[in-house]
Amino acid sequence: MGARSRSSLFLLLLFICLGSQSLCAPPTCYSRVLGLSKEIMKVLNKVHETSRTKDCAEFLPKMFLDVHNSCIMSKLRDFLYMVENLPLEHCRARIRIISLKRKVRGLYVIISRVCYRDLVYLTDDCEALDTGYSRPRYDEDRLQLLEETS
């Protein structure tokens, strides 16, 4: 291969790489909150399943994150308090626990400061963040329809 064909191949690859990146939109506040909440749930599941951190997980409250729940801030604050004040010293030093604490703190800061008015809360069912089950919320029209059919 000649030097000219190599340089043209390099330029072609460069344009393809740059073109594919320009199609991607930058992450929004909402997408960052969703992504971070999924990351937290993955790390939390690993904490509960891994033998090294299972004894630490016993001190943590159950948590099912829903960024559309208006109770998320108080749940994150309570959870963060529990993670920071684990009674066993070796638990506070575990890498997964430290990672979980950083992610929860990061999500709390993003929601409270960065995305302060960007999130839309669709429910105020605080129990759903503990159980993972959200009771159905009926609008007035749906409720009226249910009352008429019964």
Side-chain angles (χ1 to χ4, degrees):
M1 222 185 226
R4 185 166 174 85
S5 61
R6 283 189 195 145
S7 64
S8 61
L9 181 62
F10 175 74
L11 285 174
L12 178 65
L13 288 174
L14 181 67
F15 284 127
I16 290 172
C17 290
L18 291 176
S20 65
Q21 287 181 350
S22 66
L23 296 176
C24 299
T28 62
C29 204
Y30 178 71
S31 64
R32 182 64 185 137
V33 166
L34 279 178
L36 196 52
S37 66
K38 288 177 184 177
E39 287 177 35
I40 289 169
M41 291 308 297
K42 284 180 185 176
V43 172
L44 188 58
N45 285 336
K46 286 181 182 177
V47 166
H48 282 282
E49 293 170 357
T50 307
S51 60
R52 287 183 168 189
T53 55
K54 228 178 212 182
D55 59 333
C56 304
E58 294 174 7
F59 298 103
L60 298 176
K62 290 198 182 277
M63 182 169 67
F64 299 91
L65 289 180
D66 177 11
V67 298
H68 301 105
N69 192 325
S70 63
C71 302
I72 191 167
M73 294 303 290
S74 61
K75 185 64 177 179
L76 288 174
R77 188 173 44 247
D78 294 347
F79 190 84
L80 192 56
Y81 177 81
M82 293 298 293
V83 172
E84 288 177 342
N85 297 297
L86 286 169
L88 303 175
E89 184 66 34
H90 74 277
C91 289
R92 288 182 285 221
R94 296 275 183 221
I95 293 174
R96 253 184 222 175
I97 300 293
I98 293 170
S99 170
L100 180 64
K101 180 173 54 172
R102 286 181 182 156
K103 288 178 187 295
V104 170
R105 184 180 293 123
L107 181 61
Y108 184 82
V109 167
I110 289 173
I111 292 175
S112 65
R113 295 184 186 153
V114 180
C115 300
Y116 179 63
R117 295 183 186 236
D118 292 347
L119 295 179
V120 175
Y121 298 115
L122 303 175
T123 183
D124 59 353
D125 185 9
C126 295
E127 189 177 319
L129 296 176
D130 295 327
T131 63
Y133 174 75
S134 181
R135 60 180 182 259
R137 180 178 167 195
Y138 297 116
D139 295 6
E140 289 181 25
D141 296 337
R142 172 105 170 118
L143 187 59
Q144 184 178 3
L145 181 65
L146 286 173
E147 288 174 353
E148 290 174 1
T149 59
S150 46

